Amino acid sequence: EYVIIGGEIVDRGHATVDIEDRGYQFGDGVYEVIRVYNGKMFTAREHLIRLQESAEKISIQIPYQPTELEEMLKGLIDKNNLSNGIIYMQFTRGESPRNHAFPHNVAPTFVAYTRKVDRPVSSMQEGVKAIFIDDIRWLRCDIKSLNLLGNLLAKQKAVEAGCFEAIQHRGDIVTEGSSSNVAIVKNGTVITHPANNLILNGITRQKVKQVCEQNKIPFEEKEFTIEDVLHADEVFLSGTTVEVTPIVEVEEKKISGGTPGQVTKKLQQLIMDEIVKECGT
Ligand code: PMP
């Protein structure tokens, strides 16, 4: 298994990072996960632009152009013969003696690796359960930062409750999942939280928006509440690894009769069409 470190493809066993890397000590860095279907990255350009934007928001300078980065990632996918899975990449602020203030003249640490991951076929077909949880995270959730403790605590609570995902909320307003965006369907309209500082603007969320607009499915970016979720016709998650996954039960209350709804199923198909268009079958 090969990985990228410092711009080179090396054997995983030979990739090392210093114990004073700021990613390790502070979570001082940004990351992306891109799905690979049929040996090809899906929405690579969008992910790499978001990576660049996340890095800029915390003043990390990525020393590659998105197209250059894309070529390096393609090289790794080929080298590892990855057909279906994910490619993970992160940039940290680099290695430097521990100090909260940013170091000067330190190069970011870049690592990337691939992993074989199957599509979540059964949860996409049957739907998953979720709980509600207080969104205790910071106010810059738009940055895809390595600081994921709030997200981890939320996910762990869901797992302990025998559920797949935690639907986070600030007051009554639903923000997003622990590692996914949340949308509801009410009277045929797809509603999801506006892309502001309180959520990560998911690439899958943006794809859902695009296919809704192309197929005349009403799509609104506006706040909705816990009550709206409980009374929604349909609820679904979107994300790189979960794609479009129906939520069929929240806090033990069944949504859309406990089975995936029609709009959700339609969106799964439309997203699949996009995947086939970009990556083939
Ligand atoms: N919100 C959070 C907090 C996430 O971690 C993710 C998954 N990376 C998403 C939303 C979905 O984003 P995307 O569709 O780009 O994977």
Side-chain angles (χ1 to χ4, degrees):
E1 200 68 10
Y2 293 93
V3 303
I4 297 175
I5 186 158
E8 304 290 328
I9 292 185
V10 303
D11 198 81
R12 182 171 174 148
H14 293 135
T16 58
V17 176
D18 191 80
I19 58 168
E20 284 192 302
D21 188 278
R22 293 178 64 95
Y24 183 57
Q25 285 197 321
F26 298 124
D28 186 4
V30 294
Y31 76 104
E32 276 295 333
V33 180
I34 304 177
R35 259 256 181 213
V36 175
Y37 300 96
N38 195 30
K40 298 190 186 69
M41 286 183 280
F42 179 58
T43 56
R45 210 47 66 80
E46 292 87 339
H47 281 279
L48 295 176
I49 289 169
R50 185 173 66 186
L51 180 66
Q52 184 73 46
E53 289 171 352
S54 289
E56 275 171 14
K57 286 170 180 177
I58 62 169
S59 305
I60 286 180
Q61 253 173 346
I62 294 183
Y64 309 106
Q65 295 303 317
T67 48
E68 217 179 333
L69 208 45
E70 192 174 343
E71 287 311 309
M72 291 166 77
L73 298 173
K74 275 185 192 161
L76 183 65
I77 290 164
D78 290 346
K79 186 98 178 164
N80 283 336
N81 259 317
L82 180 71
S83 168
N84 289 295
I86 56 113
I87 185 159
Y88 175 94
M89 72 218 70
Q90 68 171 43
F91 282 89
T92 77
R93 201 178 304 280
E95 299 170 0
S96 182
R98 188 176 185 281
N99 180 350
H100 286 47
F102 296 174
H104 296 292
N105 303 318
V106 168
T109 307
F110 170 44
V111 302
Y113 64 86
T114 62
R115 173 157 297 153
K116 196 177 165 304
V117 184
D118 291 329
R119 297 182 65 208
V121 178
S122 69
S123 53
M124 284 176 69
Q125 281 172 358
E126 289 152 31
V128 296
K129 298 179 188 180
I131 55 165
F132 286 124
I133 196 160
D134 228 3
D135 191 340
I136 60 163
R137 300 172 305 159
W138 72 331
L139 298 173
R140 290 306 306 274
C141 296
D142 55 309
I143 301 171
K144 202 163 170 60
S145 127
L146 296 177
N147 274 279
L148 289 172
L149 254 189
N151 307 61
L152 308 190
L153 293 173
K155 180 72 172 191
Q156 185 58 25
K157 278 272 188 254
V159 170
E160 285 168 10
C163 291
F164 179 77
E165 183 57 298
I167 299 176
Q168 302 180 93
H169 55 89
R170 288 190 193 264
D172 288 340
I173 306 297
V174 169
T175 51
E176 62 179 343
S178 70
S179 55
S180 58
N181 291 112
V182 178
I184 62 171
V185 181
K186 190 69 183 176
N187 302 324
T189 299
V190 176
I191 303 167
T192 194
H193 195 283
N196 60 16
N197 62 311
L198 300 182
I199 67 159
L200 183 75
N201 187 4
I203 304 301
T204 320
R205 175 190 179 283
Q206 295 172 50
K207 268 283 159 191
V208 166
K209 179 181 178 180
Q210 180 199 317
V211 298
C212 279
E213 284 166 358
Q214 287 167 348
N215 292 276
K216 309 221 162 13
I217 299 169
F219 181 93
E220 282 185 41
E221 298 177 88
K222 67 170 192 193
E223 292 181 344
F224 60 93
T225 65
I226 290 173
E227 277 303 301
D228 293 332
V229 169
L230 294 172
H231 297 113
D233 299 327
E234 304 177 26
V235 181
F236 66 85
L237 304 173
S238 69
T240 295
T241 46
V242 298
E243 298 186 14
V244 171
T245 292
I247 293 183
V248 293
E249 204 178 300
V250 180
E251 296 285 342
E252 299 185 339
K253 183 180 180 297
K254 290 208 184 332
I255 309 287
S256 61
T259 56
Q262 288 310 313
V263 176
T264 306
K265 286 201 255 183
K266 177 78 182 162
L267 289 171
Q268 287 179 329
Q269 185 54 52
L270 291 170
I271 295 291
M272 192 61 218
D273 294 345
E274 293 295 311
I275 293 168
V276 171
K277 247 192 266 172
E278 212 177 308
C279 306
T281 41

